[in-house]
Amino acid sequence: MGSGVKGVMIHESLLIHDYATPSFHSSANSLLRKLRHSNLHVGISFSPSLPHNKVSVLKKMAKEYSFDCFLLNDESSVDGVNEITLSWGDIGGEILFLVPSDKKDAFGQLSNFGWIIVVFDVEGAGAFESSGVVCISKLEELPMIICASIRKAIGDEVVTVGYIMKPSREEDFAKRGAFPMNPTPNGLMFLPLTFELPLLSQLQLVDIVLHKATDEIISVDLSGSSESSNRITFSTGMQELQRYMEHHSDCFTIDPLDKIYPVLDRLKIQQILLGLDALNKERCRAIRGPHFLKVNGFNDPDLAQSLSEAKLSLPSIVKPQVACGVADAHSMAITFRVEDFKDLNVPLPAIVQEYVDHSSTIFKIYVLGEQVFYAVKKSIPNANVLTKSSEKNELKPLLFDSLKSLPTSTGPSAGADSIKTNINSFDLELVTDAANWLARKLDLTIFGFDVVVSNPSLTAYLLQFVSLTSQT
């Protein structure tokens, strides 16, 4: 039994649009990014007639993506096969060669060596021909051809995970080895889904759908008490995917879209986190959510009293109630005086949370099924440092976008010993228990949240959930 495609060769004319100011053809950059972390052998072919300066540009780009470059003569392409074989060795599968339509005849003879010739810019995309040639009309189709070849060769021994998320997030995961097209030792193969192509043809190749649906949110309606996913407006493409998943129960989804709504609402999450108190019985350390207050307007004359009743003192951190999926969901502020809430530039309704000193150290928790991982990151300074810094600006609120940059200080920050104490105080067992509790409560498989350890000088140990974001 074969193994399907294990190597990909691309004709240079399909990649570089302008050698003078090197730039890719439309869609080529996206394809190269996906192939870069595919765990497949990838090469770029060029003709002996290509000028030296253009060859230099081509090799520079190939090096940037960790690809190989091979000389492949249109007239005697068979000669170049030996060089590729010497370089790649026995790769244990077929080589797919993507060529422009005007090179089909020149390279067609390579099909005699077990190569799959994929001709680009041909009507009738995806049509297999008896000569071993495949025709596509968009570069986005290439991962589908690779996937189909591997599934045909391996059969039920491989499980295909179709995933969709914004390019920056995909790149971040892929460079860590998360989405290989070449099957993993445990039989997982990943296919990037795209709304540029009909979804049906892609999903027919997929066993599991992994999505970051919040990347495709147009708007969120937080009014009323319903938690229905109908209150989320997705992009047209995501709506199509949603309909498919609703009518194809055999396509397993991580996680269903109807589980998303709670993580979009900071008020809902804060209310859920109140249940963490049940984990603190008979423990010397405790974990809880922050004190909070929902506000519909910043000019409420009773705001100071409401803050006090909610056990909130200043400074406080103010966040939009919508947690993610819309443009201003991460527009936040830290306020130092009650009067500064007036006309505060944070979207309403908003959630006011207590600000907990945590020595500029935050723990990013990642939950993947039954596995819990964490990373330690730098965070916002303690309140006294922020206050001193803000005094230079008349204690005006600190406005920031949490996705872009967090408030910092030019004054003294937490020392290395304090940060080390914070890290040493981190109770992974307690956080794991909280993560498992949240997974059951939210019915999610993949999600993440932030934890801070309160100032170690306090008599009680405190972990605070700062935010919760779903992978879905």
Side-chain angles (χ1 to χ4, degrees):
M1 180 180 292
S3 298
V5 172
K6 294 295 182 180
V8 177
M9 191 71 61
I10 306 175
H11 194 275
E12 57 86 16
S13 64
L14 296 178
L15 298 178
I16 300 181
H17 172 69
D18 183 359
Y19 281 97
T21 56
S23 61
F24 292 113
H25 283 295
S26 175
S27 301
N29 192 23
S30 175
L31 175 63
L32 293 185
R33 283 192 290 103
K34 289 175 171 60
L35 290 175
R36 181 180 190 175
H37 304 290
S38 65
N39 281 354
L40 298 169
H41 290 272
V42 183
I44 301 174
S45 75
F46 62 96
S47 168
S49 61
L50 193 69
H52 177 72
N53 63 320
K54 294 185 177 181
V55 173
S56 298
V57 171
L58 194 67
K59 289 184 175 180
K60 182 178 180 180
M61 286 189 169
K63 183 178 180 180
E64 178 184 348
Y65 283 87
S66 301
F67 296 162
D68 298 308
C69 267
F70 295 104
L71 191 66
L72 210 54
N73 196 329
D74 297 10
E75 298 179 356
S76 56
S77 56
V78 176
D79 296 337
V81 173
N82 294 328
E83 180 186 353
I84 296 169
T85 301
L86 286 173
S87 178
W88 286 358
D90 183 5
I91 62 176
E94 299 168 315
I95 293 178
L96 182 153
F97 191 15
L98 180 64
V99 300
S101 57
D102 61 350
K103 301 292 183 181
K104 173 185 173 182
D105 294 335
F107 293 111
Q109 58 185 317
L110 291 178
S111 60
N112 297 327
F113 292 85
W115 287 35
I116 300 174
I117 308 302
V118 179
V119 182
F120 175 68
D121 197 21
V122 175
E123 294 298 328
F128 283 80
E129 301 178 7
S130 58
S131 60
V133 173
V134 183
C135 301
I136 64 174
S137 58
K138 290 186 176 182
L139 291 181
E140 290 89 348
E141 297 173 65
L142 193 65
M144 292 176 58
I145 303 301
I146 296 172
C147 176
S149 169
I150 295 174
R151 285 177 65 94
K152 182 178 179 180
I154 300 180
D156 294 337
E157 296 179 22
V158 64
V159 174
T160 307
V161 180
Y163 67 92
I164 191 158
M165 58 190 65
K166 64 183 180 181
S168 60
R169 195 184 309 278
E170 177 191 26
E171 176 72 9
D172 187 50
F173 276 109
K175 68 184 180 184
R176 304 173 192 220
F179 298 140
M181 293 184 199
N182 190 20
T184 63
N186 60 352
L188 288 178
M189 174 173 60
F190 293 83
L191 172 66
L193 303 177
T194 174
F195 296 138
E196 299 297 320
L197 299 172
L199 274 176
L200 182 59
S201 58
Q202 300 174 71
L203 293 170
Q204 288 175 341
L205 297 171
V206 166
D207 302 299
I208 300 173
V209 174
L210 174 66
H211 58 87
K212 180 65 174 174
T214 53
D215 290 344
E216 298 294 329
I217 290 177
I218 304 300
S219 64
V220 181
D221 177 16
L222 295 181
S223 61
S225 58
S226 169
E227 295 182 16
S228 170
S229 58
N230 292 332
R231 296 169 63 187
I232 307 171
T233 302
F234 290 109
S235 66
T236 302
M238 198 66 203
Q239 290 180 44
E240 183 183 352
L241 179 59
Q242 184 177 20
R243 287 191 296 270
Y244 180 90
M245 292 187 295
E246 289 173 350
H247 293 92
H248 293 79
S249 58
D250 57 327
C251 184
F252 183 75
T253 307
I254 311 174
D255 287 292
L257 294 185
D258 59 3
K259 305 300 180 183
I260 291 178
Y261 190 80
V263 300
L264 299 180
D265 187 343
R266 286 194 172 96
L267 176 62
K268 179 64 177 177
I269 286 298
Q270 294 298 154
Q271 293 169 338
I272 289 174
L273 294 180
L274 293 174
L276 285 171
D277 288 343
L279 298 177
N280 298 327
K281 297 178 180 179
E282 300 179 359
R283 289 180 182 266
C284 60
R285 291 175 172 173
I287 187 167
R288 67 170 176 84
H291 300 311
F292 66 95
L293 174 69
K294 176 185 175 180
V295 294
N296 294 313
F298 294 124
N299 297 326
D300 184 352
D302 298 323
L303 181 59
Q305 180 179 346
S306 298
L307 291 172
S308 176
E309 293 173 351
K311 300 180 181 179
L312 288 167
S313 59
L314 296 173
S316 294
I317 186 166
V318 187
K319 307 176 181 180
Q321 186 177 346
V322 178
C324 57
V326 294
D328 54 6
H330 301 277
S331 298
M332 304 180 183
I334 296 176
T335 56
F336 300 89
R337 301 175 302 187
V338 173
E339 56 266 32
D340 289 329
F341 277 94
K342 183 178 181 181
D343 301 323
L344 188 64
N345 189 24
V346 174
L348 290 166
I351 305 299
V352 182
Q353 292 180 353
E354 66 174 312
Y355 189 86
V356 176
D357 285 343
H358 53 287
S359 302
S360 302
T361 308
I362 194 166
F363 297 85
K364 311 290 289 188
I365 314 300
Y366 308 99
V367 182
L368 178 61
E370 297 179 353
Q371 301 296 314
V372 178
F373 310 90
Y374 76 93
V376 183
K377 304 286 185 179
K378 285 188 64 67
S379 182
I380 307 173
N382 285 348
N384 64 323
V385 177
L386 286 176
T387 301
K388 289 180 181 179
S389 178
S390 184
E391 285 175 349
K392 301 175 183 179
N393 194 31
E394 301 177 350
L395 284 178
K396 291 181 179 179
L398 295 176
L399 302 174
F400 63 99
D401 185 318
S402 62
L403 283 184
K404 297 178 181 178
S405 62
L406 298 175
T408 57
S409 172
T410 56
S413 58
D417 291 341
S418 179
I419 294 175
K420 184 177 180 180
T421 299
N422 233 346
I423 295 175
N424 290 338
S425 299
F426 183 69
D427 189 335
L428 180 58
E429 180 181 354
L430 181 58
V431 173
T432 299
D433 287 345
N436 292 333
W437 179 86
L438 276 169
R440 294 191 300 270
K441 191 73 175 178
L442 298 170
D443 196 15
L444 291 175
T445 304
I446 303 177
F447 63 96
F449 55 90
D450 299 343
V451 173
V452 297
V453 179
S454 70
N455 193 321
S457 65
L458 296 178
T459 56
Y461 180 89
L462 173 73
L463 287 175
Q464 173 164 332
F465 283 74
V466 177
S467 65
L468 182 70
T469 54
S470 169
Q471 177 56 44
T472 54

